[in-house]
Amino acid sequence: MSLYRVGVLLYRELVQGPKNIIFIFAVVVPLVLSFVLALLFGTLFSGKPRLGIVDEGSSQLSQSAAAMTSIRLTIFDTQVGLEAATRRGAIDMGVVVPADFDAQLAAGQPTTIIAYVWGESLLKDRALLGTALVAWTRQIAGQELPVTLTTTMLGDTVALPWQDRLLPLLILMSVVFGAMMLPASSLVSEKQHRTLTALAITPATTADVYLAKGLLGVGLSTVMALVVLALNGALNERTGLVAGVLLLGAIFSAELGIVMGTLVKDVNSLFATIKAIGLLLYAPALIALFPDIPQWIARIFPTYYLVQPVIEIVQHNARLADIAGLLGVLLALIAVTGAILALLARRNYRLGVV
């Protein structure tokens, strides 16, 4: 394998890529779905208010916020990160709790907290978060309300917001479709036009061709997945970790795409194969749409280990240690698929086919 030859072939893929309808779909479809779903569910079925907190002293306020299921809480390490997240709309309100906040309230001394509010947040979200902050503050200060409000929950009390349910599907469409279909369709197209046969008489090896085609799919799908997450306000201060997980998922998807492109003979067979395995690919996202289905079923499907680490980070603020097990399975899948791909590459090299 030669990096120079890979670079030349990758440049060729970049030039030819925009002429491929799959390339256009990989860019346009995730963007259109993100805009449509953000418009629809942002107005008709808006999700939970999003609160961000920088807690400088392990305040009881943070514990009360974490226990409240009707809001989505994100803990930030720095005030700069909190302000940036509020400015871009990742959270509706950000609060900086000083180190001596609880002690001053308990002593009856006046104190101040810094609050940032996203200018485009919904009024009802601001009202809920503001009311919750007042209630938590009174609780810390030991002040009891003179009125007891008795509430009765009606309807589905554990329903997840549709934005949360649809995010796995958007991620899978962005990563799997682009990273898998681009190299697969490119290989099949070159087979039909017999350009792979022409490459067989050049110094380029099978590994060079596979790597160049895979890199295009990996790069494009990773970027599009990050754009989709940004459009849905799902990125947080762990964007670097999210990008790394998406990159691993794109590598796994690209390997699957190259394997399919190597085994199938024409475009019709490729699309028939995609239709046949489509349920397996998107099953984790479809299961997430219906919380009444036992969610452990999603663990059976390989793409679960692609999408779930991302969901854990963007929705539950997970750290690397929290998703280490999921990433371990994903790395194992990458290794197994890579071994299969290496066997196919050696077989084609012995047959004199790139």
Side-chain angles (χ1 to χ4, degrees):
M1 185 178 67
S2 167
L3 292 179
Y4 173 76
R5 291 195 296 266
V6 172
V8 172
L9 291 170
L10 179 59
Y11 175 77
R12 175 173 171 268
E13 292 294 325
L14 289 171
V15 172
Q16 298 294 329
K19 302 176 184 178
N20 187 344
I21 189 65
I22 300 298
F23 185 98
I24 298 174
F25 277 7
V27 174
V28 174
V29 171
L31 292 178
V32 171
L33 282 177
S34 294
F35 280 120
V36 170
L37 294 176
L39 177 64
L40 176 62
F41 297 111
T43 54
L44 298 180
F45 304 99
S46 56
K48 299 178 182 179
R50 299 161 298 175
L51 175 66
I53 294 179
V54 173
D55 191 350
E56 298 177 346
S58 300
S59 172
Q60 184 182 338
L61 188 144
S62 299
Q63 301 173 17
S64 299
M68 190 171 184
T69 58
S70 58
I71 67 170
R72 184 184 300 170
L73 176 66
T74 303
I75 301 296
F76 291 85
D77 298 326
T78 64
Q79 183 174 340
V80 174
L82 177 74
E83 183 178 356
T86 309
R87 190 183 303 276
R88 68 173 180 266
I91 56 176
D92 298 304
M93 181 181 294
V95 177
V96 180
V97 183
D100 56 350
F101 181 71
D102 291 15
Q104 289 189 354
L105 284 179
Q109 299 177 1
T111 184
T112 302
I113 61 174
I114 300 174
Y116 300 102
V117 178
W118 182 39
E120 299 179 38
S121 59
L122 298 177
L123 181 60
K124 68 179 185 66
D125 292 341
R126 299 186 196 181
L128 190 151
L129 293 174
T131 303
L133 285 173
V134 171
W136 298 332
T137 302
R138 292 176 65 97
Q139 183 181 7
I140 296 171
Q143 300 176 0
E144 296 184 0
L145 290 175
V147 175
T148 300
L149 180 63
T150 302
T151 59
T152 302
M153 300 297 296
L154 302 175
D156 189 354
T157 60
V158 296
L160 291 174
W162 275 101
Q163 286 177 318
D164 291 352
R165 299 188 195 186
L166 288 165
L167 190 59
L169 181 60
L170 289 176
I171 294 172
L172 282 180
M173 290 193 65
S174 303
V175 176
V176 174
F177 185 83
M180 180 182 294
M181 287 299 295
L182 272 177
S185 62
S186 179
L187 279 171
V188 172
S189 176
E190 296 213 46
K191 282 183 184 179
Q192 291 185 309
H193 292 88
R194 300 185 181 279
T195 51
L196 283 180
T197 304
L199 283 175
I201 63 174
T202 70
T205 65
T206 306
D208 295 333
V209 175
Y210 286 176
L211 184 56
K213 294 183 181 300
L215 283 175
L216 178 62
V218 168
L220 180 63
S221 61
T222 302
V223 171
M224 291 310 303
L226 288 171
V227 171
V228 165
L229 289 173
L231 288 175
N232 287 272
L235 290 178
N236 53 30
E237 60 183 1
R238 295 191 172 87
T239 302
L241 181 58
V242 172
V245 175
L246 290 173
L247 184 63
L248 291 176
I251 292 173
F252 173 57
S253 301
E255 288 179 341
L256 290 178
I258 296 172
V259 169
M260 284 193 297
T262 303
L263 296 178
V264 302
K265 296 181 178 180
D266 52 52
V267 174
N268 291 333
S269 300
L270 175 62
F271 281 100
T273 303
I274 293 295
K275 290 180 181 179
I277 67 173
L279 182 60
L280 297 177
L281 295 175
Y282 295 104
L286 298 176
I287 292 173
L289 289 176
F290 305 99
D292 292 336
I293 299 176
Q295 295 299 300
W296 63 264
I297 298 176
R299 294 177 177 270
I300 300 173
F301 303 95
T303 49
Y304 172 84
Y305 301 95
L306 181 162
V307 68
Q308 190 59 31
V310 179
I311 297 300
E312 292 294 330
I313 298 170
V314 300
Q315 292 186 351
H316 306 294
N317 206 33
R319 299 176 183 271
L320 179 59
D322 301 324
I323 59 173
L326 296 172
L327 292 183
V329 177
L330 179 58
L331 289 171
L333 291 171
I334 292 173
V336 171
T337 312
I340 296 173
L341 193 55
L343 292 175
L344 291 174
R346 283 197 290 268
R347 184 202 67 173
N348 288 349
Y349 183 76
R350 288 196 301 268
L351 296 176
V353 179
V354 175

